[in-house]
Amino acid sequence: MVLVATEKQDISYDCKFQNSFGKLQRVFGYIYRFWLLKFQNQTRRKGPLTVDDVKGSTHLLIKGIQRVFFAEDYKALRKNKQVASNSKLSSLHPILDDSGLIRVGGRLQNSLLDYDARHPILLPKNHPVTQAIVAQFHHKFLHAGPQSLLAALRQRFWPIGGRKIVAAIVNKCIRCFRLKPRMMEHIMAPLPASRVQPSRPFTTTGIDICGPFFSKSEVRNRPPAKCYVAVFICFATKASHLELVEDLSTASFLAALKRFTSIRGKPNTIWSDNATNFVGARNELQELRQIFLADPPNIELRNDLLSNGINWQFIPPRSPHFGGFDLEVLTPGHILINTAFNAIDEPDITHLNINRLSRWQRVCQMQQAIWHKWSTAYLSLLQERGKWQSVKANLSPGNIVIIKDDNLPSLQWRMGRVESIVLGPDGVARVAVIRTAAGIIRRAVGKLAVLPFETTSSVSVTLPAGEHFRSRTPNL
């Protein structure tokens, strides 16, 4: 007599179809037919798989997994004993059915649920087949959320640690992620110099257009007309200036810019987004020359990587006379901005005794005292980061991202691959270069959402020793 000891193996672990439960069922359907022919002495079946074949193959597949991962519990149940108190299945009071499957005993024996819902089949934690079953139910129930998916899954199966497994599958679903994408967040950057250094109001200005709004005409039967509002915001003082804009054309924007500069003075820098009416101003430099009376026009427009927009640099003319005039005419604009449009900065005289100063120097000293108060009382409020407080990993070249578009639903946002990243002075990537189907573009990281990867390789699972089967065969 020869004693042969074999270790029970999980044959599904090395199957190339383990990430698709439907394919696994069909593969094991033919294995189930062979098992019936070889060990049950049934006649050979031909043709496509039947419902009974799929059901039997599912039981055969899960039974092999259970005997490896729940080996000790299977031994105890086969001897009509209770599982060990330290077992993960002890709270479920498992039972062994007629086909040899380990099921949940539970407390719902007297309910009106069917047998599979009262005694669902137990599945091991973090097994590839368990994940494949959860993924199949997720697609079957039309991408249900974690709670609904777990409730539907437990009508037939009971995975150990089900909440975490279900949440992981839902979070890795590409379609669910694209429906509710999570934009990347990076730590807030240090404030630029134009935000924390004293300057004349609207020296550095941000501009955007809000709307549309509807203005009612004085004519009775005329329908309301659309209009927009151009918002100019000073970087240093947060002062706001509103200008009514007739439409989103470049001409309307230039008219609003004329009115703004005639009241608030000429800014040195204007920050804007990449809207078409701002870009169209590139072709209107001749009209901008008439605004600032500079020949040639001292205006530099360039795309700025950090803001993904336009940085308008207005370089002051070299001539000491403004617009070719030796003497400037006093206008209401001088009173509104408390100085001439081309006035030079006064030296710091806050440390001098007021008795030594002339009347004009006293006015300048009071203005500088206000700015000193701004520096000591206001700037300290900007130290704290209200959001985006933690440092997170930068994008990596090769990441697949979707690009946010405010004018389209999330499922129609473009996809792209990160080619490279642009690091800021603090080492944080806030701009990425992305290759899309339409070409290479640059976008701010806050407008990107990294897609979760769906790996095709199996998850690394430590296989237990399983149960040993011993058989005695005659010595040939």
Side-chain angles (χ1 to χ4, degrees):
M1 300 294 291
V2 177
L3 178 64
V4 179
T6 61
E7 184 176 333
K8 186 67 176 178
Q9 297 290 339
D10 179 10
I11 61 175
S12 69
Y13 189 75
D14 295 328
C15 182
K16 65 178 181 180
F17 300 118
Q18 65 177 350
N19 288 337
S20 175
F21 185 61
K23 292 181 179 180
L24 273 178
Q25 286 179 308
R26 291 190 290 273
V27 169
F28 273 80
Y30 291 101
I31 298 176
Y32 178 71
R33 280 188 175 181
F34 175 79
W35 180 80
L36 292 177
L37 176 65
K38 191 69 175 178
F39 298 101
Q40 300 297 323
N41 296 325
Q42 294 188 9
T43 58
R44 183 177 181 180
R45 299 184 183 181
K46 296 182 179 181
L49 295 174
T50 63
V51 176
D52 293 335
D53 292 336
V54 175
K55 183 178 179 180
S57 66
T58 304
H59 289 180
L60 181 63
L61 169 63
I62 298 178
K63 191 187 304 181
I65 296 173
Q66 287 181 343
R67 293 191 182 183
V68 173
F69 285 85
F70 303 141
E72 298 299 328
D73 301 316
Y74 179 76
K75 288 180 182 179
L77 294 175
R78 202 171 63 170
K79 296 178 181 178
N80 295 325
K81 296 181 180 179
Q82 292 185 354
V83 298
S85 59
N86 58 353
S87 173
K88 296 180 180 179
L89 311 182
S90 60
S91 61
L92 300 174
H93 192 73
I95 59 174
L96 203 65
D97 65 2
D98 297 336
S99 61
L101 283 171
I102 302 178
R103 294 178 176 267
V104 175
R107 306 170 60 193
L108 304 180
Q109 292 86 352
N110 299 323
S111 67
L112 299 178
L113 300 174
D114 57 10
Y115 183 77
D116 286 337
R118 283 182 283 131
H119 304 289
I121 301 173
L122 281 165
L123 297 175
K125 183 180 181 180
N126 293 333
H127 193 277
V129 174
T130 304
Q131 296 178 355
I133 292 174
V134 176
Q136 186 191 54
F137 271 74
H138 182 57
H139 292 291
K140 178 181 178 181
F141 289 91
L142 305 178
H143 297 269
Q147 187 172 356
S148 300
L149 178 59
L150 185 61
L153 184 66
R154 285 178 173 175
Q155 297 299 307
R156 187 178 177 188
F157 300 101
W158 191 282
I160 304 299
R163 288 186 176 86
K164 292 184 178 180
I165 297 175
V166 166
I169 294 298
V170 173
N171 291 336
K172 291 181 180 179
C173 179
I174 299 296
R175 186 176 295 271
C176 293
F177 182 85
R178 295 196 65 179
L179 184 63
K180 295 182 179 179
R182 295 184 298 275
M183 297 295 107
M184 290 200 64
E185 294 181 355
H186 44 75
I187 190 171
M188 286 182 121
L191 293 172
S194 57
R195 290 284 307 276
V196 295
Q197 294 181 5
S199 63
R200 180 178 61 81
F202 295 102
T203 299
T204 303
T205 303
I207 180 175
D208 200 358
I209 293 181
C210 62
F213 302 98
F214 292 90
S215 61
K216 187 176 180 181
S217 175
E218 295 181 357
V219 181
R220 176 180 298 179
N221 296 328
R222 183 173 296 177
K226 279 186 179 181
C227 63
Y228 300 85
V229 173
V231 183
F232 297 86
I233 300 179
C234 174
F235 272 35
T237 63
K238 289 189 177 181
S240 300
H241 179 91
L242 306 180
E243 284 290 340
L244 190 64
V245 181
E246 183 179 0
D247 51 36
L248 295 179
S249 63
T250 301
S252 298
F253 161 67
L254 291 175
L257 188 59
K258 286 181 182 180
R259 298 191 296 269
F260 166 73
T261 54
S262 64
I263 298 175
R264 303 301 180 188
K266 184 181 66 174
N268 291 338
T269 306
I270 293 182
W271 290 87
S272 66
D273 59 11
N274 210 22
T276 55
N277 50 353
F278 302 141
V279 177
R282 296 174 181 273
N283 303 324
E284 300 291 342
L285 293 180
Q286 182 62 32
E287 188 155 353
L288 288 176
R289 179 187 307 176
Q290 298 176 5
I291 297 176
F292 300 109
L293 301 177
D295 190 14
N298 298 311
I299 301 168
E300 177 188 355
L301 284 77
R302 62 184 178 87
N303 286 332
D304 193 277
L305 292 179
L306 297 181
S307 65
N308 192 32
I310 303 176
N311 182 5
W312 302 52
Q313 297 286 349
F314 299 97
I315 306 173
R318 295 181 179 178
S319 173
H321 308 293
F322 181 78
F325 296 97
D326 295 334
L327 181 62
E328 233 183 315
V329 179
L330 183 64
T331 65
H334 295 75
I335 302 174
L336 290 173
I337 66 174
N338 296 326
T339 183
F341 287 170
N342 60 340
I344 63 175
D345 293 334
E346 295 289 339
D348 185 14
I349 55 176
T350 54
H351 62 284
L352 298 180
N353 193 335
I354 192 171
N355 296 329
R356 297 176 49 190
L357 304 179
S358 64
R359 183 175 179 82
W360 172 249
Q361 289 176 331
R362 291 181 182 182
V363 173
C364 295
Q365 189 185 52
M366 286 188 290
Q367 290 180 343
Q368 293 172 1
I370 292 175
W371 279 112
H372 179 72
K373 186 70 173 179
W374 173 88
S375 300
T376 56
Y378 167 72
L379 285 185
S380 60
L381 301 177
L382 303 179
Q383 284 280 16
E384 197 173 2
R385 288 181 168 90
K387 55 181 179 179
W388 309 330
Q389 300 171 354
S390 58
V391 179
K392 297 185 179 180
N394 289 328
L395 278 173
S396 300
N399 286 145
I400 305 299
V401 297
I402 56 177
I403 306 166
K404 183 178 180 180
D405 191 337
D406 295 330
N407 299 322
L408 292 174
S410 58
L411 290 177
Q412 297 181 15
W413 290 353
R414 288 186 297 172
M415 297 178 60
R417 183 186 296 274
V418 177
E419 291 284 324
S420 60
I421 56 177
V422 180
L423 297 177
D426 54 355
V428 178
R430 292 185 171 85
V431 175
V433 181
I434 307 165
R435 181 180 296 276
T436 65
I440 296 179
I441 60 174
R442 290 182 175 91
R443 285 293 183 272
V445 173
K447 297 287 186 180
L448 305 177
V450 181
L451 290 175
F453 289 103
E454 288 188 343
T455 57
T456 56
S457 60
S458 61
V459 181
S460 177
V461 179
T462 304
L463 293 175
E467 179 184 0
H468 293 274
F469 289 88
R470 294 177 174 82
S471 61
R472 297 181 179 274
T473 57
N475 188 9
L476 300 180

